Amino acid sequence: MSRAVTIVDVAKLAGVHFATVSRALNPSTQAQVSPETVRRIQKAAKALGYVPNAVARSLRNNLSMTVGVTIPDLTNPIFPPMIRGIENFLAPRGYTALLANTDGRPGMEQSAISSLLERRVDGLIIATGLDDHVLLPRLFEQGVKVVLANRGGGSVPYPLVTGDDRSGIAMAVDLLKSLGHRRIVHIAGPDNFSTSRTRRDAMIQSCDEAGIACQVVSASALTAEAGEKAMDDVLSQRQSFTAVQASNDLLALGVLRSVRRHRLRCPEDLSVIGFNDMPFSEEFSPGLTTIHVPLEDIGTESARLLFERIQNGKNDSVLVRLPVSLVVRGSTGPAPKKQRV
Amino acid sequence: MSRAVTIVDVAKLAGVHFATVSRALNPSTQAQVSPETVRRIQKAAKALGYVPNAVARSLRNNLSMTVGVTIPDLTNPIFPPMIRGIENFLAPRGYTALLANTDGRPGMEQSAISSLLERRVDGLIIATGLDDHVLLPRLFEQGVKVVLANRGGGSVPYPLVTGDDRSGIAMAVDLLKSLGHRRIVHIAGPDNFSTSRTRRDAMIQSCDEAGIACQVVSASALTAEAGEKAMDDVLSQRQSFTAVQASNDLLALGVLRSVRRHRLRCPEDLSVIGFNDMPFSEEFSPGLTTIHVPLEDIGTESARLLFERIQNGKNDSVLVRLPVSLVVRGSTGPAPKKQRV
DNA sequence: ATGAAAGCGCTAACAG
DNA sequence: CTGTTAGCGCTTTCAT
């Protein structure tokens, strides 16, 4: 690219000092310049195809107008809506999001955050759902603005935005109970995800209170494949149960596949219920009954909290727990009279 | 945040000039500094928690180590894999992607690109699939590095990465023909997307060559809702046909919904075939027969081409047409003897 | 209302 | 091998 046109070029053409160009082109200082001069400068800028250099501005202002967002994996369908929520809030305010995938690996998370910090993001939305790493306290100490999204609270007093997992699980248990189910299997996610633990514990508690027997099985990852494998294992054990509640929809999808392969009918032989209401869970066969989590809202709220903290310099803690709701579709039905499983 | 520690602070602690710190901390110049000094500097840097300032470096080097990526909508499932492909290639090379959603609106695309250019991205991957806007020739003229992904060729000689739409459509027609279908409806996407036009034209040509009657119906958007509505219209016209080929899987999903609502059976009464093999199309009911497009590879290739062009300063044109394949699932079957539609 | 000058943090000549 | 210096493009005092 031939050398970019700068404020100095514009100044020459308009016949003013380059500082005046800066004032004229900046909304907040434009009033300091005479309207006539402003017009002249704008004309010159357009004529030359001037494009402001945000990098130089960032260096000078110590403000990059970017925020970093770390997620485990973009291809996990719960994240695109969250990210849209984040961008919908930030873009109109002049902010751009830098995305980093961590694949759930603490090492990658660390290097991703380092890279974002080097780029001098004004704040961070961490949605990796992993346990507190050593990094977090250090970030807090340094005054780095962070909002934690979609994960459980840790020891560090950063703001936190999640769906209401406990009440979601309670809704699921209620539904199953009202359908006559008395023995449920819970497919839990890996233990190092805070949501996995929260949902599992809530499940045990809700079932306990409802007088329902709950068997917990852990999947090795939050994927359909892991869910399928976990369900295969459960079915091979010939336990008796009439319903499965999975820690997320991807696991539930795996359960559905396993059930189909074992020639069981859902929901006639077995009810299945997920968590998240991820995009397209409606299209599974059968359509997945699940707990709807307002993913886009989680994104929007996280962005709002971060934005506020960047603006006012505070770093105070809040807990935003967004309400969830039950979505009943085809994968749940009355408990079978004669247990087929 | 308390004032960040800079190269100067490190220099003071290590008792050297700050330029030496720069050399010591930079892999490419580290050899110029005595090993002993390097160690001392690294120790000082660690002790102070020094984080290099990429913004300052970018300004100085005129290299931001970022690329801009514009897409219509992250929540369209074909994009996350593409973006992962892009990031998988770029991240190990020190590059970060700035994402911008345009919602398919030329105005938003323009402002997104402006914003990215202000941030001095080193290049742009444009995957909006819209027609050439006025911007493109101007960008080319200015020497801005761009790679066009997943869209048809335009008048501007930028590199281009797509799936092989024509051969994909041919595969779909072949399959339907071999199943005995002789009257097909093609649900086309809006005309301002180049892929819509390519696939529609390929459809007309392939059917022509195969001696198959093809009726084209246009959907108002590339969404399930638009596909459903288009299919409703088709069914209300009582045309005679035994198969539907949709311009993408989202439209096909809408078709499946419409078919279900009209109490027709798929594939017994009607075969449906999509395009893209987007994530979860396998889970639709029935599983969607479709043309697999290597979305992640499209991302990787785009990133590679852009990277090469950033490296060597060239801006030469290439056309990379990635092979596609037919994926047969439950939504296609033999043409019915007695036409039910 | 505008000009002059300093400096954000860094890299890259150029000296020594 | 290390120090000195200039300058990337911009905003912001401080003068005038």
Side-chain angles (χ1 to χ4, degrees), chain A residues 188-234:
Chain A
D191 228 49
N192 55 332
F193 291 104
S194 63
T195 47
S196 298
R197 293 195 306 268
T198 309
R199 291 172 189 175
R200 182 199 57 207
D201 295 349
M203 193 68 193
I204 292 171
Q205 191 190 332
S206 284
C207 286
D208 225 46
E209 291 170 8
I212 286 179
C214 177
Q215 184 198 349
V216 174
V217 176
S218 283
S220 60
L222 289 174
T223 62
E225 288 66 35
E228 187 168 358
K229 170 136 194 348
M231 190 61 187
D232 285 351
D233 289 351
V234 172

Side-chain angles (χ1 to χ4, degrees), chain A residues 196-271:
Chain A
S196 298
R197 293 195 306 268
T198 309
R199 291 172 189 175
R200 182 199 57 207
D201 295 349
M203 193 68 193
I204 292 171
Q205 191 190 332
S206 284
C207 286
D208 225 46
E209 291 170 8
I212 286 179
C214 177
Q215 184 198 349
V216 174
V217 176
S218 283
S220 60
L222 289 174
T223 62
E225 288 66 35
E228 187 168 358
K229 170 136 194 348
M231 190 61 187
D232 285 351
D233 289 351
V234 172
L235 288 174
S236 70
Q237 291 172 225
R238 313 203 127 273
Q239 301 281 342
S240 79
F241 61 97
T242 63
V244 175
Q245 199 289 321
S247 194
N248 78 8
D249 290 347
L250 246 18
L251 291 175
L253 171 58
V255 170
L256 252 24
R257 286 182 186 160
S258 171
V259 166
R260 220 176 298 143
R261 228 181 341 93
H262 284 81
R263 315 254 162 219
L264 293 166
R265 293 165 310 159
C266 174
E268 292 81 356
D269 302 323
L270 198 60
S271 284

Side-chain angles (χ1 to χ4, degrees), chain B residues 7 22-23 26 50 57 60-61:
Chain B
I7 220 177
S22 171
R23 294 189 191 100
N26 227 284
Y50 169 71
R57 180 181 293 155
R60 170 67 226 226
N61 291 351

Side-chain angles (χ1 to χ4, degrees), chain A residues 73-76 101 103, chain B residues 77-90 125 149-150 161-163 276-279 292-304 320 322-323:
Chain A
D73 178 12
L74 227 208
T75 63
N76 178 332
N101 296 88
D103 285 324
Chain B
I78 71 165
F79 292 111
M82 273 191 45
I83 291 164
R84 284 284 340 221
I86 292 174
E87 299 205 324
N88 287 345
F89 184 88
L90 292 181
I125 296 177
N150 197 34
V161 183
T162 63
N276 277 347
D277 194 23
M278 69 173 225
H292 177 81
V293 176
L295 299 167
E296 186 162 338
D297 294 345
I298 290 182
T300 311
E301 273 313 303
S302 307
R304 181 200 313 283
V320 178
L322 266 16

Side-chain angles (χ1 to χ4, degrees), chain A residues 30 32 86 169 198 231 250:
Chain A
Q30 188 167 303
Q32 302 171 18
I86 293 174
I169 289 290
T198 309
M231 190 61 187
L250 246 18

